[in-house]
């Protein structure tokens, strides 16, 4: 399971604080600058959360909701563009590691 949220620059510190909690450190969510993701936004950030275990995803969503930080869940075409860009980054990183250690 994976989910993408968008948040404005002014919410960066609260999101960073949330992600510094032990649960999120172990889960390893990603933050990307929105302008670099080519999904149409000029500012702000995307928060990418992925968990193979449904219980961990449920806990992550609960903690995000309880934080009261104004995050907007991304859906539709924008979500597809962001996820495609993230997956491409991950594939390129994995193939680079294969080249180094191959």
């Amino acid at each position: 399971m994976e989910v993408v949220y968008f948040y404005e620059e002014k919410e960066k510190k609260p999101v960073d604080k949330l992600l510094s909690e032990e649960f999120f450190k172990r889960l390893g969510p990603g933050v990307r600058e929105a302008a670099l993701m080519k999904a149409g936004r000029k500012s702000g950030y995307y928060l990418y959360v992925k968990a193979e275990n449904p219980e961990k995803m449920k806990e992550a969503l609960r903690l995000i909701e309880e934080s009261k930080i104004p995050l907007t869940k991304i859906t539709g075409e924008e979500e597809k563009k962001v996820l495609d860009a993230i997956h491409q980054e991950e594939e390129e990183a994995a193939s680079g590691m294969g080249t180094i250690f191959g």
Side-chain angles (χ1 to χ4, degrees), residues 45-86:
Y45 298 89
Y46 288 110
L47 171 61
Y48 170 67
V49 180
K50 180 179 178 179
E52 300 300 326
N53 180 323
E55 289 303 313
K56 286 188 178 189
M57 180 58 86
K58 186 177 177 182
E59 179 68 5
L61 298 176
R62 183 186 68 77
L63 290 170
I64 289 168
E65 185 177 321
E66 285 180 0
S67 75
K68 304 289 187 209
I69 300 169
L71 300 171
T72 304
K73 187 174 180 188
I74 302 302
T75 59
E77 188 62 29
E78 183 177 7
E79 177 188 39
K80 182 182 178 334
K81 286 179 181 180
V82 172
L83 289 176
D84 287 348
I86 290 170

Side-chain angles (χ1 to χ4, degrees), residues 7-21 67-71:
Y7 61 97
E8 297 289 346
E9 176 72 37
K10 66 184 178 184
E11 305 304 333
K12 184 166 181 9
K13 284 186 181 181
V15 171
D16 288 348
K17 184 176 182 197
L18 175 68
L19 298 182
S20 72
E21 292 181 16
S67 75
K68 304 289 187 209
I69 300 169
L71 300 171

